[in-house]
Amino acid sequence: MRRGGGVVKKDTLLGIVMAIFSVGMLIQSKQLVNENKFDTIGPSGFPEGVSWILLGLSIVLILTSLLKRSVSSPKVTKINWNVIFSFVILFAYIILLPYLGFILATFIFLWILQVFLTRIRTLNSFLKITLISVIFSLVTFLLFEKVLQVFLPRFDLFL
Amino acid sequence: MEYLLEAFAQIFTLKVLGFMVLGSIWGIVASAIPGFTITMAVVLTLPFTFSMEPIVGIATMISVYVGGFSGGLISAALLGIPGTPSAICTTFDARPMAEKGEPGRALSIGVLASFFGGLVSIIVCILTAGPIAKFGLRFGPWEMFSLIFFALTLIASLGGKAIVKGLLAGAFGLLISTVGIDPVGGKLRFTMGLSQLAIGFAFLPILIGLFAVPQMMKSITKIRQSSGEDSEISNSFISGSINIPWIKTLKELSKHWVGIVRSGLIGCLVGALPAAGGSIATFLSYDQAKKFSKKPDEFGKGNIEGIIASEAGNSGVAGGSLIPTIALGIPGSAVTAIMLGALMLHGITPGPLLFKSQPVLVYGIYVSLIIGNIIMLLVQALGMKAFIKVCNMPGDKIVPVVLMLCVAGSYALNNRFFDVIVFSIFGVVGYLLSSAKVPLAPMVLGVILGPLAEANLRKAIMTDPNIMLFFTRPISLVLIIISILSLLISIYQLGKDLKKEQQITSKSV
């Protein structure tokens, strides 16, 4: 996967991942049984056909990416820790949501992500962040529950 | 006529108009913030419309959609940054005009041109959607399948150099759509033993994940990389007071009605084509205005014709892109695919039959477009000063709130936590794909059109196993020929670029 000691090209990696996915879908499609004799394509025909197309395109992508010697293909370079940390916060929020309930989980999520993103860290900015977190978690909850009749998760830690 | 009156009666209620005003404000605000797109505004509105009656939900979505096309001009004129990609050309003349001390004039020209351009396209939409739908009634499963093939290949091939990635994204979307019950035989497929997947992936969490998460992650990177001072945009236009001469501009625009109609029609035509959207329309319209102008040298220096061309052109897309969506049930872009999804969520299947089965609803869409456009004008006129301040909203406060709304919106669809997980998975997928420069619009189209494509393909073969019918039925043949031609042209272009690239590298070595 490494060429000339360089980093893996994103296109090559994408092609490999898509090829694996299409092969997986092909195998799964083959296992589907057609019980309707009038339906010649059956439940497996369409996903199978598209999987073959996806596999073909993945191979083309891998080959064109390997043929390109220039830097035009995007490369997998350094890890973007800002994005990873933000995803971690988002996932933690999603996991905690059913346990802490919408209001509390949302308040914590908004507060942490704002603190992470803000560059000006004064007492005033922390107060502002706290206020925004309280207002948005409450207003969204009330908007969904009272106006849109959508019931969001409630505090459920001890149940 | 009675349908039209009934539609007017349904829309002209305080409740619907109230939601439309809110929708319009949200559309303008979202597209005024640089980095946010109309697509995202529409996606985030969708969860709020579930509990509404169909007509209320659709009217709200349309007002967000119409409002979104006009919001991008505010930051284009005042900051020189297009709020949405479709406002790129607006920066060429609106910004210089603002710098010359006429920011109010630039804004009012943009808003009014947007209104009139939108109106032109809505009229075209009303006049043409019906006859196109009538024509669409002749379509059998062969033509429908070819039409979907046409839409998918065109949207993928428009990616230029990324044609393989575009097609790959489309195929990936089609495969995602096969999860769940098969649309003909009712057999369960690829559910991985999860009962929640029996009805397939709900497309809304997929859309939210694909469009919102990559955008937000990009914003997060930008915010973290900028210094604290940079995040606070300082602009004399924003901090100062701006006088907006609406009446004077209206008189001024009356002299340029030909340009408005031309740009509105260009926008409408471009919007009606699959894969072409606001940004192409605005460039084409701007270019044509320059060619027709008596003073082409003044373009880019604060010329009124330039602002008109750009804004009337991009707003013209609003009505145009809804033509194939309503008439044939085939969206041509990501944002209209979401609009189609919104209709489907309310149990409405757009397409030729809709005109027969639910004519009031079709007229309701037309009326919503007209009223949405008028509301956009009023909201812009009354709230312009507040919207100007929106451009100054700090990203570090917006991003967390938007992500939270994405989670709440995904949950709200079916009141089930599984959809939030789907949102987060597709958020990661969307981020990874977009960082590999894979266009996401073909994927969305694949997800939404997949079941329709499969059902029509299977119906066609079940009716007559002769596959040659796809090539002998005239409409189907024409659509397939155009699709293959567009693919071949793109592949030829790709090959040429690759050759050139190799020549450059071999020379440098």
Side-chain angles (χ1 to χ4, degrees), chain B residues 51 59 358:
Chain B
S51 53
Q358 284 175 292

Side-chain angles (χ1 to χ4, degrees), chain B residues 301-487:
Chain B
K301 296 172 187 167
N303 190 338
I304 178 171
E305 291 173 77
I307 307 174
I308 291 172
S310 174
E311 280 305 306
N314 70 31
S315 291
V317 173
S321 60
L322 280 178
I323 298 171
T325 313
I326 306 170
L328 301 172
I330 307 293
S333 61
V335 70
T336 42
I338 297 159
M339 294 294 287
L340 181 91
L343 288 164
M344 281 154 76
L345 272 177
H346 285 288
I348 300 153
T349 313
L353 289 174
L354 186 70
F355 285 73
K356 279 201 163 176
S357 60
Q358 284 175 292
V360 178
L361 195 102
V362 174
Y363 280 94
I365 294 172
Y366 295 157
V367 172
S368 306
L369 274 166
I370 298 168
I371 297 176
N373 206 32
I374 296 168
I375 287 178
M376 177 277 290
L377 182 68
L378 294 174
V379 166
Q380 284 272 32
L382 297 171
M384 180 58 87
K385 290 188 178 167
F387 296 136
I388 291 168
K389 289 200 172 85
V390 164
C391 296
N392 215 5
M393 262 162 79
D396 58 346
K397 306 285 181 292
I398 299 169
V399 172
V401 172
V402 170
L403 282 174
M404 176 269 287
L405 285 176
C406 292
V407 171
S410 304
Y411 182 85
L413 174 65
N414 294 314
N415 267 32
R416 61 177 191 173
F417 200 66
F418 182 75
D419 290 329
V420 183
I421 296 168
V422 172
F423 150 77
S424 60
I425 291 170
F426 280 91
V428 176
V429 170
Y431 174 74
L432 293 174
L433 289 179
S434 71
S435 61
K437 307 225 180 304
V438 177
L440 297 174
M443 184 177 164
V444 170
L445 231 60
V447 170
I448 291 184
L449 295 179
L452 202 63
E454 182 178 2
N456 279 294
L457 178 69
R458 285 166 72 177
K459 258 187 232 166
I461 301 294
M462 276 162 89
T463 314
D464 192 330
N466 181 11
I467 206 158
M468 284 313 289
L469 281 173
F470 285 100
F471 306 98
T472 50
R473 290 174 72 104
I475 300 168
S476 172
L477 179 69
V478 169
L479 290 166
I480 289 177
I481 288 176
I482 301 172
S483 314
I484 292 172
L485 271 178
S486 78
L487 279 179

